[in-house]
Amino acid sequence: MITYRHKSILLALCLLCCGGAAAQTAQEELKANRYLSGSNYLDYDRQLATEPLTPAPKGYEPFYMSHYGRHGSRWLIGEGDYTSPLNTMREADSEGKLTAEGKAVLKKLETFYPTTVKRLGELTTVGERQHHGIGSRLAKNFPEIFKAKNVPIDARSTVVIRCILSMEAECEELAAANPTARIHNDVSESFQYYLNQDRSDRLRQASREGRKARNLYERKYNHPERLMKVLFNDQSYVYDNVRASSLMRQLFEVAANMQSHDTDIELYSLFTDEEVYDQWRIRNVGWYLDYGAAPQTGGIMPFSQLNLLRNIIETADTIVPVPVVAASPATTPQATLRFGHEVCVMPLACLLELGQCGAQVENLDTLDNVWRNYRIFPMACNIQLVFYRPTKGKEGDILVKAMLNEREMTLPGTPVSGPYYRWADLRRYYLDKIQKFESSGRR
């Protein structure tokens, strides 16, 4: 069975990191849709277009879904995310150092800031809407599961409010689509070990090494000189009083996350197409080094979700008999829904090797040829593993289809048909992968 180390360059270029062919370069995609540059702030509903789902192989039906989803759009998390650029602009304004454009930016920041008070990190109405949409499509795309009479749905969330509310929004749609559904919601610190796993010392050390590479990359591509001339009328003042690179980064963060709100305030127009691309590629590299299978960090960062993958397998074992054989058509359809964060979805997608998410790229300048973070972890990003069984009276293997953000993905190994793979093969492959990683850590 192949690994991400051996997937062909041709496949990488065709699938472009997470499935689905794309003729455009990342720079072209960002020019056409600046919202993509938001990386983890990308509004789920502003993603690239989806494609129709592939019908199940003849004689098969879905009967179980295993899912992990991120919360929806939110306010920025830290107070300083808003106050740092705001205070810098206010101080300059008090000294008479802002241009007319600088004053306009300051007014936008001051207008928006009151909405953030006591809302840091909380789910927005945009985020709630995203999950209502996902829940509605779950029922529409997989009625054999979600519209089955008395279907049991186990939904669990991390203890963070935005995740809990996202879970509730999705489950509201499932309940509306099927009033007989038996939905169990649960939130507990006892789930944190797999819903939001802490990093081991081994992974923390690798992350520190990745941060060094990321900082070098940022210094190479963060060029605030033009923007400072747009905002400030005295470049000597900027040199003495403004951390230009930090201010550019902060303003871009606020600009990118405005898509998390129903507002007409925008800051993207501050940046040129080239600056948008550079700001995004810095973040793309940063996320890759910290959560992807980057060779610069030993390819081990996806194993931050080892507990989550193990839970997915162990939970499936309670539904799908081991050794894996065709489940009886009498088996009750059901679903396991988990809700958490992008720092879980991204490495899990890489650990599962969905599409080209597990790609290993030595030259970071070419990373976005095959790995683009906006295809992996927008707000409300989710992984759906859909299990299929032979229909009544038929025999055959249990099959699995993987979807990332409702887009069909390739998986390790050889599919039976289209995006459908034998669960027995995948289960063995992932357990072997876990065992090899744990053994390597004991050397």
Side-chain angles (χ1 to χ4, degrees):
M1 202 172 280
I2 61 175
T3 71
Y4 50 65
R5 287 182 180 274
H6 303 105
K7 289 182 179 179
S8 70
I9 295 297
L10 177 60
L11 180 61
L13 292 174
C14 289
L15 295 179
L16 284 173
C17 93
C18 289
Q24 291 183 307
T25 65
Q27 191 167 11
E28 289 168 340
E29 286 184 339
L30 292 168
K31 185 174 182 179
N33 180 1
R34 283 196 169 192
Y35 294 108
L36 300 176
S37 69
S39 299
N40 59 318
Y41 300 138
L42 172 61
D43 176 1
Y44 192 85
D45 297 324
R46 296 182 188 270
Q47 293 182 86
L48 299 169
T50 59
E51 296 180 357
L53 299 181
T54 305
K58 187 176 180 179
Y60 274 85
E61 63 181 0
F63 74 102
Y64 173 59
M65 176 176 286
S66 187
H67 155 286
Y68 188 99
R70 180 197 184 190
H71 59 76
S73 289
R74 56 163 170 77
W75 273 268
L76 295 174
I77 290 177
E79 177 74 11
D81 294 336
Y82 296 106
T83 58
S84 290
L86 180 57
N87 290 339
T88 297
M89 300 296 285
R90 281 174 172 170
E91 179 63 26
D93 188 44
S94 71
E95 298 288 334
K97 300 300 182 180
L98 291 184
T99 63
E101 180 69 13
K103 287 180 178 291
V105 170
L106 174 58
K107 183 177 180 180
K108 289 180 180 181
L109 294 174
E110 288 185 323
T111 299
F112 188 75
Y113 176 67
T115 72
T116 74
V117 176
K118 297 185 179 181
R119 298 306 303 259
L120 297 174
E122 292 185 357
L123 193 71
T124 66
T125 55
V126 173
E128 182 182 21
R129 191 160 61 237
Q130 291 159 356
H131 279 281
H132 276 289
I134 294 168
S136 177
R137 288 188 296 276
L138 282 175
K140 178 182 178 181
N141 292 335
F142 304 103
E144 299 90 343
I145 298 174
F146 292 101
K147 292 187 179 181
K149 187 175 181 180
N150 298 322
V151 58
I153 300 173
D154 184 69
R156 300 184 179 189
S157 169
T158 68
V159 295
V160 179
I161 292 175
R162 59 182 176 272
C163 301
I164 299 169
L165 292 176
S166 295
M167 173 180 69
E168 291 296 328
E170 212 157 297
C171 288
E172 284 175 7
E173 291 295 331
L174 297 176
N178 182 2
T180 72
R182 295 183 287 117
I183 302 175
H184 174 66
N185 296 122
D186 206 351
V187 179
S188 172
E189 289 282 356
S190 66
F191 308 145
Q192 293 292 100
Y193 77 96
Y194 69 88
L195 288 181
N196 193 11
Q197 180 180 347
D198 288 333
R199 283 184 172 178
S200 65
D201 290 341
R202 182 182 177 190
L203 290 172
R204 290 193 188 97
Q205 177 58 39
S207 179
R208 284 191 287 270
E209 294 302 314
R211 198 170 298 121
K212 294 176 185 177
R214 194 262 188 198
N215 291 340
L216 289 172
Y217 198 83
E218 180 171 7
R219 286 196 289 272
K220 184 177 179 181
Y221 289 105
N222 195 19
H223 302 295
E225 296 82 11
R226 185 205 64 85
L227 180 61
M228 295 303 104
K229 292 176 182 178
V230 169
L231 299 176
F232 302 97
N233 58 29
D234 184 345
Q235 296 309 299
S236 294
Y237 172 85
V238 173
Y239 183 82
D240 292 334
N241 298 279
V242 178
R243 297 175 62 189
S245 293
S246 294
L247 179 61
M248 185 177 195
R249 183 176 64 251
Q250 293 160 359
L251 287 172
F252 192 83
E253 291 282 299
V254 176
N257 197 51
M258 281 299 180
Q259 61 189 293
S260 294
H261 303 274
D262 292 317
T263 179
D264 58 0
I265 297 175
E266 71 82 32
L267 291 169
Y268 262 140
S269 58
L270 274 176
F271 304 92
T272 67
D273 289 337
E274 187 67 28
E275 288 167 348
V276 168
Y277 174 56
D278 283 345
Q279 288 295 310
W280 170 77
R281 74 201 299 202
I282 291 168
R283 289 159 176 78
N284 193 51
V285 164
W287 284 99
Y288 178 66
L289 291 171
D290 214 20
Y291 294 95
Q296 296 83 354
T297 48
I300 66 172
M301 302 312 290
F303 286 95
S304 65
Q305 298 313 303
L306 183 151
N307 287 347
L308 179 53
L309 176 55
R310 184 179 279 122
N311 177 263
I312 288 170
I313 294 170
E314 291 176 351
T315 305
D317 286 348
T318 68
I319 313 298
V320 182
V322 178
V324 180
V325 295
S328 165
T331 301
T332 303
Q334 53 193 289
T336 304
L337 309 181
R338 308 168 185 86
F339 293 84
H341 308 269
E342 81 269 45
V343 295
C344 303
V345 174
M346 171 166 278
L348 178 62
C350 298
L351 188 59
L352 291 170
E353 301 172 44
L354 304 184
Q356 283 299 303
C357 291
Q360 294 193 306
V361 180
E362 295 284 351
N363 183 356
L364 294 176
D365 283 334
T366 67
L367 177 64
D368 60 54
N369 289 336
V370 295
W371 202 93
R372 303 177 189 176
N373 62 18
Y374 52 76
R375 291 175 175 266
I376 306 175
F377 70 152
M379 293 290 189
C381 56
N382 57 91
I383 294 171
Q384 300 173 14
L385 299 178
V386 190
F387 289 68
Y388 290 76
R389 65 186 177 189
T391 52
K392 189 175 182 179
K394 304 283 180 134
E395 293 185 358
D397 298 306
I398 296 299
L399 304 182
V400 172
K401 174 171 71 174
M403 298 201 297
L404 176 62
N405 304 324
E406 302 175 77
R407 293 160 174 80
E408 293 172 341
M409 295 286 110
T410 60
L411 286 162
T414 304
V416 172
S417 172
Y420 297 91
Y421 295 74
R422 291 183 182 86
W423 172 238
D425 294 342
L426 289 169
R427 181 181 182 277
R428 185 182 311 112
Y429 176 77
Y430 291 135
L431 288 174
D432 287 347
K433 188 173 182 176
I434 290 172
Q435 192 275 327
K436 289 176 183 176
F437 171 75
E438 292 182 324
S439 296
S440 69
R442 289 193 291 267
R443 293 173 185 170

